Amino acid sequence: LQHRKIELRPMKKLSILATIGAAMLMSSCNDFLDEPARGQQELDIYFTTEEECRNFVNGCYYFITCDDWWQVYNPWLQMEMATDNAWQGNTTQESGYRELVEYMPNGQENGPSSNFYQYRYKGILNCNVAVDRITNADIIIDEKVRRQLVAEARFLRGYYYFELVKLYGGVVLLDRLYEAEEAEGKGRSTEKEIYDYIAEDFRYAIRNLPQKSALGAAEIGHATRGAALGLYGKALVFQGKWKQASDTLGLLVREGEYDLNPSFGDNFNPANKNGIESVFEAQHTYDAAYNVGCPLSTVAGPRGVGDQDGWAWGIPSAYLENLFLQAGDTERLRWTIIRKGDTEIAGETPEAFAQLVEKQGDLNEDGSYFIDPSAQKSPRVFRKYYCPLAQRGDKYDQVHSPINWPILRYSDVLLLYAEALNEQGQDGLAAQLVSRVRTRVFLSGVNGKTGTELRDIIRLERQLELAGEFHRLFDIRRWKEDNGNYAIANIMGPQGRFVLWNTNQETADPDEWENQREASNSGINYRDDRDRLWPIPLVEIERSHGSIQQNPGW
């Protein structure tokens, strides 16, 4: 990450912001050390026009998800698997997730985690280049445009660091483009130092980015003031800075740029991209010629059903389904989980559902949807990852789905705001915010609820509203429960409620109980003195020659 050459190439083959033009991608360190890559340009002769500046910033968005399933989406799924929401899933192949999902002591060697760490830093490197070179470019450019481009890069840099600090704690702070000799021996900053740095980037973005309503058609999907306010507010919540968080998130709400979609399912409809509830989302389009799209529909789709729709990695647990049923939350359940035996799929036409069932042949003689319980731990998949039949391209595998992925929804903002208010005893407004989220899915409001009771309602709402969206792990790591434990320690471990529920035949789901090729006691190895942070990938420690220190317990 310390070299001064960046490979510049068009973004035609990348499944990121489809509305954005060309992107500039970083080649690997090995490329730098071997020989110049074809088409490579020196940074010193780039950034000579406004167009070049825009193109480079556009390329910084690439690292939100990158161009395939394994760099970011795969680790995101792994994070969901490490909670009570999901299993690893596929029981016909060896899992590459086990070390961290099952809380084993060799997690520092886990491949998906190493990929995530690497690609988040590649994104940071490109953002550092953009900030430095655009700030100092000696060109004729409107200063407001210059500040906005720098703000986009700083927003993305703040987001990438936020992703890292949530997962690993304090990490190496690279605040500019370093020469190799400068970076040699650089160690980790503290968690507080990373959060302080994130705050500077988000505050700059808040001051200099436009509102979503001010974006032109070609700019949809770019960072906005609202996205910066939302992620900054979320970072403040994660630090327990309740007053600052409520002030920031309250400002976002009062500015009125966003609202809840009328239907919960609108958030997961490819025809409703960047809707009123979308604060920030990863952009995808389907294009078979360029091999682009979102991979979730395939990677987390059902395995072994007729023409084999998917790979079944990251599938919902019966435990999660039971939480919906206990809450009487049938609306969000049907938009979150597709189950074996379902006679419809939320948002799918009856004709399309019949086509899907027909493709499954004699696997489902009763005409219901079939998911093979012998091929995956649980005969369920996440509806949020599902691509309706009419919107699938001719090539429906790997990265060929047109769905966007919500990184920050307005409902998330409302629940974070409610949490910050509840922590300060401002329960009247907090209850109103939660009620808005609940009544959208035909549940009763919670006005009049206060204190710990309201706190627990907010926490359950976050699980049910955001299940499968890669937020759960970080919520349960930061919440403390009444016995003084972090929530994750009461969910996982030998006495964790998720583990006990699944290892008791009287409560466990029969299909999950039957298929032990993924053990039902997943999570039993959790240790609170080790597992509240994931380990820094071992390869990164080795490359640093020991200047990067490992997290405790690993």
Side-chain angles (χ1 to χ4, degrees), residues 82-154:
T83 76
D84 50 347
N85 281 353
W87 298 102
Q88 293 165 78
N90 183 331
T91 55
T92 67
Q93 294 178 313
E94 184 65 27
S95 169
Y97 310 102
R98 293 185 62 236
E99 297 92 350
L100 291 172
V101 171
E102 297 181 18
Y103 296 97
M104 299 168 70
N106 59 336
Q108 61 268 45
E109 300 180 54
N110 182 259
S113 174
S114 296
N115 290 334
F116 187 78
Y117 187 98
Q118 173 190 176
Y119 278 90
R120 281 294 172 252
Y121 269 109
K122 287 184 176 183
I124 289 165
L125 168 62
N126 279 257
C127 292
N128 282 343
V129 172
V131 171
D132 175 70
R133 296 309 170 101
I134 296 172
T135 298
N136 298 301
D138 186 16
I139 59 175
I140 297 174
I141 184 173
D142 184 279
E143 288 306 309
K144 183 178 179 181
V145 172
R146 188 196 300 265
R147 289 193 300 272
Q148 180 176 333
L149 291 173
V150 171
E152 287 187 60
R154 293 188 67 170

Side-chain angles (χ1 to χ4, degrees), residues 87 377 498-504 508-509 511-524:
W87 298 102
K377 174 64 176 177
F498 178 66
V499 174
L500 293 176
W501 195 86
N502 286 306
T503 53
N504 181 347
D509 176 73
D511 285 316
E512 293 179 356
W513 182 268
E514 181 68 23
N515 187 344
Q516 290 299 316
R517 280 174 283 181
E518 180 178 347
S520 289
N521 67 355
S522 182
I524 198 170

Side-chain angles (χ1 to χ4, degrees), residues 77-78 80-91 97 296 298-303 310-321 336-338 371-373 375-383 385 468 470 498 509 511-512 515 518:
L77 282 169
Q78 184 180 36
E80 197 75 4
M81 297 172 196
T83 76
D84 50 347
N85 281 353
W87 298 102
Q88 293 165 78
N90 183 331
T91 55
Y97 310 102
L296 282 176
T298 297
V299 176
R303 185 165 186 81
W311 306 348
W313 293 120
I315 61 171
S317 65
Y319 182 87
L320 173 64
E321 180 184 326
T336 302
I337 298 176
I338 301 171
I371 300 176
D372 187 356
Q376 52 189 79
K377 174 64 176 177
S378 180
R380 297 165 177 82
V381 291
F382 277 110
R383 168 59 183 84
Y385 309 156
F470 318 134
F498 178 66
D509 176 73
D511 285 316
E512 293 179 356
N515 187 344
E518 180 178 347

